[in-house]
Amino acid sequence: MGRRMSGPVQGGGAGQAAARWRRAIVISTLSGGLLALLGPFGTYLNGGPGSRALYWIGAAWAGCALYGGAITAVGRIAPRGTAGRRWLLGAAVGAASLAEAVLTRMAAFALWPSLRAHAPGIWGWLAQTLLIGAMAAIVAEWLLSRRPLPADATTVPATLQAGAPARQMPAGAVALQMEDHYVRVHTATGSSLIHLSMTAAIAALGQTEGLRVHRSWWVARQSVQAIEGTPRAMRVRLGTGLSVPVARSAVSTLREAGWLATP
């Protein structure tokens, strides 16, 4: 086993995702402040502006995490253009709305105990929550639909049919890297993005021997030059010079596949 590598992990997708989450938090804070001023659903009668701001900004942050997580998960399962995406998105928004309704109801009763006497039932509360959540999801989906594909992206069917030709993937893939709703295919001559889920991209490689060493990475066995580091901080170094992180949970998989020397 070689010494631990100190070079940076290549993962532009993670930085882009972090930037999107930061923007979402800022937008949620502003939206929560606006709702605190408007006081929808009778909340203008509850307490002063301070407690309303605390409630609505907190609700907006919770919604950012719940709805943002739901939309992100749907994007990984069914990228833009996939059949059934809208139905899956609707189910995800419904589940997020249920969790948001429970959290906001508990928060409202904690802030304003007297509200229990005249608050709507859980189903009415859920309907109010779903209204706001659905509007936010529609806006988010609309913004995503207007976002252009990356300059080096190639549109590929998200669900590959049985017997699909191998030419749907760039030839000579040495590694796959998940980037939001896309997969970056690394080859010996460079890389390119395809609009495809990681699972479908791996399936498209057919019988190519390789392993998914991280949630966001798959590597081909023949391209591995060295495996370096410790089980807590392990990397796979490829012949192209690419350094790929290995998840701790994947170390045993590598060992069982014979990629690591047995102690």
Side-chain angles (χ1 to χ4, degrees), residues 1-8 225-238 243-244 246 260:
M1 193 76 70
R3 64 185 179 84
R4 178 177 175 179
M5 294 287 288
S6 59
Q225 188 173 61
I227 299 179
E228 303 170 324
T230 67
R232 288 181 172 272
M234 187 175 290
R235 297 175 190 265
V236 176
R237 181 159 51 85
L238 306 183
S243 180
V244 178
V246 177
L260 301 177

Side-chain angles (χ1 to χ4, degrees), residues 5 8 10 171-177 184-192 217-226 228 236-244:
M5 294 287 288
Q10 300 190 19
V174 299
L176 303 178
Q177 179 186 7
R184 181 171 295 279
V185 183
H186 295 272
T187 66
T189 57
S191 67
S192 60
W217 286 90
W218 175 95
V219 297
R221 176 70 179 266
Q222 64 180 11
S223 65
V224 176
Q225 188 173 61
E228 303 170 324
V236 176
R237 181 159 51 85
L238 306 183
T240 59
L242 192 65
S243 180
V244 178

Side-chain angles (χ1 to χ4, degrees), residues 51-65:
S51 61
R52 290 201 305 273
L54 179 63
Y55 171 79
W56 279 113
I57 292 176
W61 285 352
C64 178

Side-chain angles (χ1 to χ4, degrees), residues 75-229:
R76 291 175 178 170
I77 298 171
R80 276 188 287 162
T82 304
R85 174 181 168 87
R86 291 184 179 180
W87 292 105
L88 189 59
L89 187 62
V93 169
S97 296
L98 180 59
E100 175 82 352
V102 172
L103 290 174
T104 55
R105 189 176 175 87
M106 292 172 59
F109 289 167
L111 282 172
W112 308 300
S114 60
L115 186 63
R116 292 177 179 271
H118 52 84
I122 184 61
W123 294 113
W125 199 290
L126 175 59
Q128 294 175 357
T129 305
L130 186 58
L131 176 62
I132 295 178
M135 291 174 60
I138 290 171
V139 171
E141 184 71 0
W142 178 75
L143 291 174
L144 283 174
S145 68
R146 292 176 58 85
R147 190 172 66 185
L149 294 175
D152 58 344
T154 302
T155 301
V156 175
T159 303
L160 298 176
Q161 301 298 322
R167 65 175 179 272
Q168 291 180 305
M169 289 284 289
V174 299
L176 303 178
Q177 179 186 7
M178 185 168 66
E179 293 189 10
D180 197 9
H181 305 319
Y182 304 90
V183 170
R184 181 171 295 279
V185 183
H186 295 272
T187 66
T189 57
S191 67
S192 60
L193 281 174
I194 59 173
H195 195 193
L196 197 64
S197 69
M198 178 65 100
T199 302
I202 294 173
L205 293 173
Q207 299 302 315
T208 304
E209 184 180 2
L211 287 176
R212 192 164 183 175
V213 299
H214 189 277
R215 185 178 65 85
S216 301
W217 286 90
W218 175 95
V219 297
R221 176 70 179 266
Q222 64 180 11
S223 65
V224 176
Q225 188 173 61
I227 299 179
E228 303 170 324

Side-chain angles (χ1 to χ4, degrees), residues 18-53:
R20 283 193 292 273
W21 277 107
R22 285 194 293 270
R23 288 195 296 270
I25 291 172
V26 171
I27 293 172
S28 298
T29 303
L30 295 176
S31 300
L34 178 61
L35 290 170
L37 291 175
L38 296 176
F41 307 122
T43 54
Y44 65 91
L45 298 173
N46 300 333
S51 61
R52 290 201 305 273

